[in-house]
Amino acid sequence: MSNNVATRYWHALDDGRVQCDLCPRFCKLREGQRGMCFVRARENDAVVLTTYGRSSGFCIDPIEKKPLNHFYPSTPVLSFGTAGCNLACKFCQNWDISKSRETDTLSAEASPETIARAAAGTGCRSVAFTYNDPVIFHEYAIDVAKACREQGIHSVAVTAGEVCPEPRTEFYAHMDAANVDLKGFTAEFYRNLCKGSLDAVLDTLKFIRHETSVWLEITTLVIPDANDSDEEIDAECKWIAENLGTDVPLHFSAFHPDWHMRDVPPTPPATLTRARRIAMENGLRYVYVGNVHDESGSSTYCHACGDKLIGRDWYVLTTWNLDESGACTRCGTPVPGHFDAQAGEWGARRVAIDLASFAR
């Protein structure tokens, strides 16, 4: 299987360079140059994806780890990523993969069909494109999603949402769920800490919510003295309520010192509790905290009667009070999302997997 495949989203410039049109970075390349993402490059006067069929490894996770709390809870998801990223977040928590400029990072190789067979053969309900942003391996992710759909396997994108409109439309036509990282809520934060665009991400969030059937959840990594003020959190939550609605789950996750921000302390649990309170005061109904042990802040409650519907202790379900239709068993109020008639039983297990036995 060739790792270099042709791509669609680029055009030639008058000065002899070619411009990649996949994401708003619009990298302009001469022959042999790679884009900032590392995996898209100019070859023979065209832009190619250089890592098709290669991964940094495969692992079966609980779906809540993506995090997705309203998409078939406690079911297993086959997770993988590649290398590179189209952002430059100074606080990256997966920097060894997303910032990699070594093809040796991509030690595992698998065709889309092999991945789909592995997911089905191991009992996974979904496949997740994660650890680094699937936007940059657009063609591979779509082919995997197509193969998975033929096997009845769902596809999940864990993404920062920095993508241009035309490829975005194609990409999300093949996805079933997405968790979008809304990394902060000021243009300055995105510019200085991510080298990205807040407006592009907000546009993607509105597109997914209003123009697709993709299940959407949002995650904000809360960083001390960077994006944790009451004012910024309040502005983010107001925007979500007004533009996406109050039923979109929002996750506030704790930062730990990493990459180029090792001098910043971890997020105090009290900060996440405060962020959750602000979100709920803005009318958001399903707000969660992550990367800390907080059973109350990780559980799902009925917005009508207040009953605990799904109790979570880390990734283990402790309570299940949904009926077969996904409604509260106490008052009958429906819960937005995708739920099985019974709770899943995967729990907190994380299992590395070798796909060689599923290859043909």
Side-chain angles (χ1 to χ4, degrees):
M1 177 172 54
S2 173
N3 299 129
N4 287 16
V5 299
T7 70
R8 290 177 49 204
Y9 300 107
W10 59 272
H11 72 277
L13 299 174
D14 292 340
D15 63 4
R17 295 180 296 174
V18 298
Q19 176 176 301
C20 180
D21 297 320
L22 183 70
C23 86
R25 193 163 295 283
F26 300 121
C27 292
K28 298 170 179 63
L29 308 173
R30 299 196 183 278
E31 190 66 22
Q33 287 185 321
R34 291 175 179 262
M36 180 181 167
C37 67
F38 176 68
V39 300
R40 305 180 86 81
R42 177 171 173 172
E43 181 180 277
N44 297 324
D45 297 326
V47 175
V48 299
L49 172 64
T50 63
T51 54
Y52 188 98
R54 299 188 66 185
S55 167
S56 54
F58 295 87
C59 189
I60 302 176
D61 288 323
I63 190 68
E64 287 82 2
K65 197 166 186 177
K66 299 306 103 188
L68 288 172
N69 281 359
H70 291 231
F71 193 76
Y72 305 109
S74 200
T75 60
V77 53
L78 180 60
S79 304
F80 76 97
T82 60
C85 186
N86 60 335
L87 289 179
C89 299
K90 294 181 179 180
F91 49 85
C92 184
Q93 311 282 280
N94 290 319
W95 64 269
D96 53 332
I97 295 173
S98 68
K99 306 308 178 189
S100 174
R101 294 298 182 263
E102 300 293 335
T103 55
D104 288 347
T105 300
L106 303 174
S107 57
E109 190 162 352
S111 70
E113 293 74 21
T114 296
I115 294 171
R117 283 194 296 270
T122 55
C124 291
R125 294 292 299 278
S126 310
V127 165
F129 312 110
T130 182
Y131 310 136
N132 71 321
D133 204 306
V135 163
I136 66 172
F137 57 96
H138 176 98
E139 294 77 12
Y140 185 34
I142 286 176
D143 285 351
V144 171
K146 288 178 179 177
C148 286
R149 191 161 283 179
E150 291 181 358
Q151 297 272 357
I153 305 295
H154 303 297
S155 292
V156 173
V158 181
T159 176
E162 295 260 353
V163 60
C164 291
E166 187 178 357
R168 181 177 65 197
T169 298
E170 181 186 20
F171 182 82
Y172 284 103
H174 302 282
M175 298 298 124
D176 299 291
N179 186 293
V180 176
D181 290 332
L182 182 52
K183 297 177 183 290
F185 208 70
T186 66
E188 180 183 21
F189 179 95
Y190 266 86
R191 182 173 59 252
N192 294 340
L193 294 184
C194 306
K195 305 302 181 188
S197 165
L198 172 61
D199 287 344
V201 181
L202 299 183
D203 193 54
T204 291
L205 286 168
K206 289 188 287 187
F207 170 81
I208 295 173
R209 178 63 169 161
H210 299 299
E211 299 185 45
T212 77
S213 60
V214 174
W215 175 250
L216 172 65
E217 302 192 20
I218 299 169
T219 297
T220 296
L221 185 73
V222 182
I223 306 172
D225 297 324
N227 64 353
D228 66 340
S229 71
D230 285 4
E231 293 76 16
E232 184 167 343
I233 293 168
D234 184 66
E236 173 182 332
C237 296
K238 277 185 167 61
W239 185 91
I240 291 172
E242 293 172 2
N243 291 273
L244 307 179
T246 56
D247 285 341
V248 175
L250 173 61
H251 303 256
F252 289 112
S253 292
F255 162 87
H256 65 260
D258 222 330
W259 193 227
H260 292 312
M261 294 183 68
R262 297 178 189 270
D263 57 338
V264 177
T267 310
T271 299
L272 301 181
T273 301
R274 171 170 56 84
R276 183 170 181 261
R277 173 182 54 78
I278 292 170
M280 296 175 72
E281 287 173 352
N282 275 285
L284 301 189
R285 293 170 171 174
Y286 306 101
V287 188
Y288 303 99
V289 300
N291 292 344
V292 295
H293 187 226
D294 182 343
E295 186 171 358
S296 176
S298 300
S299 298
T300 302
Y301 298 86
C302 178
H303 72 85
C305 72
D307 204 25
K308 182 186 286 188
L309 302 178
I310 306 173
R312 298 182 181 88
D313 187 1
W314 289 110
Y315 302 120
V316 176
L317 300 193
T318 59
T319 305
W320 184 264
N321 287 323
L322 293 178
D323 64 20
E324 292 185 357
S325 68
C328 174
T329 55
R330 180 181 177 186
C331 70
T333 299
V335 181
H338 298 263
F339 303 98
D340 291 318
Q342 302 294 327
E345 298 181 348
W346 182 254
R349 285 174 288 169
R350 191 169 195 265
V351 181
I353 181 172
D354 184 353
L355 269 60
S357 61
F358 297 97
R360 291 179 183 170

